[in-house]
Amino acid sequence: MEQQTKTGAGKVYLVGAGPGDPGLITLRGKYLLERAEVVVYDYLANRRLLRYVSPSAEMVYVGKRGGVEHSHTQDEINAMLVEFAGRGKTVVRLKGGDPFIFGRGGEELEVLAAHGIAFEVVPGVTSATAAATYAGIPITHRGYTASVAFITGHEDPNKSTSNIDWSKIATGIGTIVVYMGIKNLPHIVRNLIDHGRSADTPVAVVRWASTPEQQSVVGTLATIVDDVRESGIKPPALIVIGEVVKLRESIDWFEKRPLFGRRIIVTRTREQASELVAGLEEAGASCFECSTINIEPVDDYRILDEALERINEYHWILFTSINAVRHFFKRLYAKGMDARDLKGPDIATVGRSTAELLLEYGINADLIPPVFTGEGLAQSLLDLGVEGRNILLPRAQTGREILPETLRGAGAQVTVAPIYRNVPPQGRKEELRAELERGKVDLVTFTSSSTVKNFLAMVAAENQQELERLLSGVKIAAIGPITAKTVTDAGLKVDIQPEIYTIPEMIRAIIEGLRSD
Ligand code: SAH
C-alpha cells in the first residue's frame, strides 16, 4: 500500500492537527497517528492527540513558539524528517491547524521532494475558521461580506516594503483574519485605517480558540489595541476584522456554555469510561483527569472459579461496580463460558450504569434497586426475601462489608469472590499538587470512596491545615452518600451531590451547583 520512492525509504505524512480541540483532527490524521513510528510535533498541536500514538513510537517535540522558544530551527526539522524517512520510518509531522496555512508545510515538503522522499499531506481545521466559529462569528455571511483574506501579521513593521498590499486589503476584502498579529496589532490597525478602512470596523481577538482556555475580546479598529492591552490577551491569538464580528452578539455559543472557564479535577480509575469528563467538557469545563486508582486483576481467581463450576446452584449474582462486571466476564470467557451459562441465577446490579454495561454482555438485570448503593441493593433483596438463598458477589479485593453482612444476617449464604484490586497509581502526584497550588481549580469530583482516599493520599498534605489551604475555594462533588461520607470523614465539606447516583445526574448537579457562583 505504501508508495515508496526509494528502496527502504519511509514516508512522511504532514498532518494538520487542527486548532486546539483534539476532536477537530481529521479521521485520516488520527489513523496516521495510530500507525506512525515517529511523530514530530510542535507547540500548537494539542498534546492530547498524542494519546493516539503507539507507545512504541518515537516522539520528537520541536517547539516553535513564535519567538519564545525556538527549540529547533526549520533546517533542523527538515533534516530530521529526511533522516527518519531515510531510515525507512513512517513519520507523522503533526502541525497546528492546517499545514499549508502559515505552517511552513510547503517548505518541509520541498526538502522532502528534493531528497526523493515520499509524502502525503492531510489538511486540518485552520485556526482562522476555528477562532471565528468558536467566537460565534460566521467568517462569511450573505448580509455582510463576500470575501475573506488570511494574512500574516508577523511581518517586521520596519521593513521598507511589505508583501501585504494594505491599500487593497483595507478596502477590497470583507473579512480579514490576521495570524500571528498580536505583537504588531498597533501597526496592523494603523495600516488598515490609513488605507481607508473605517475606524468603526468591528474587530475580535481570539486566543487559544476551540480550547477551554479560549479568551476573546471585541472592539473596533479604533479601540482594539487598548482592549487587548487591558484584557491581557497574549499569543497565540487571531484577529478577525469585519462587519461579521457583530453577529457574535447573537450567536456567541462556545463561551456561553454553563461550565465554560471552569477548571475541574476529575478523580477516577484509569479504566472507567470517561463519561464524566466528556459530559463536563461538553458543558465547557476544562478537566484535569486524575487517575487515583488503577484497577488490576487479582492473582488468584479460585473462589470465582469454584463458584462458576456450580453457577446453577446460585440464586443471585450481584454486581456492585462496572469493574466487577468487566472482570467477571473476562474470567468467564477465559474459562470457555459465556452469558448462556448464567441463565440459572437472577442478576442484580447496584445501579443503572452497571446494568447498562451488563446489557452489553447480553444480560438484562433482573433487579436494580431504587437507591443505587450497597445498602439500597441489600434492602431490595431483603424485601424479596433472602433466607437460604445462595448469593455470589464478585467484587474488589477490599470492599465494603455492609452488603454481604446484611445478607448473611438475613440468612443468606454469600460467596464474596475477589476479582480485581484497586491500586493507587504512582505518577501525576506532582502535577496534581501543582494544579492545586495554582489556585485555579473550581471543583473536585469523587465517584467512589476509593477515589476520595486515594486523592488524599496523592495530595499528601502534611496536616489538615495544609489540606484545607490547598482546597480553599475548591468545591467538592460526591456522587452519592457513601462517597460523601468518606469526604466528610476526612474533615472536608461536600458542596454538590446529585439526588440520583449516576454520572448524568452528577453532571447536572455540577452545572447547577457552579452556576450560582
Ligand atoms: N498552521 C496554523 C497556523 C500557524 S501560524 C493554522 O492553520 O492554524 C501560528 C498562528 O496561528 C498563531 O500566532 C495564531 O495567530 C494562530 N493560531 C494557531 N492556533 C490558534 C488558536 N487555537 N487560537 C488562536 N490562534 C491560533
Side-chain angles (χ1 to χ4, degrees), residues 137 144 173-176 197 201-204 240-246:
I137 302 167
Y144 295 86
I173 301 283
T175 310
I176 304 168
R197 190 79 172 214
T201 310
V203 182
V240 185
I241 303 158
E243 296 303 312
V244 283
V245 171
K246 285 185 185 151

Side-chain angles (χ1 to χ4, degrees), residues 348-365:
T349 65
V350 71
R352 211 179 289 147
S353 317
T354 319
E356 277 164 14
L357 180 66
L358 189 64
L359 196 55
E360 287 178 26
Y361 288 92
I363 291 180
N364 224 332

Side-chain angles (χ1 to χ4, degrees), residues 9 107 192 237 241 270 279 318 332:
E107 292 167 47
L192 290 171
I241 303 158
R270 189 161 293 164
L318 314 181
L332 186 77

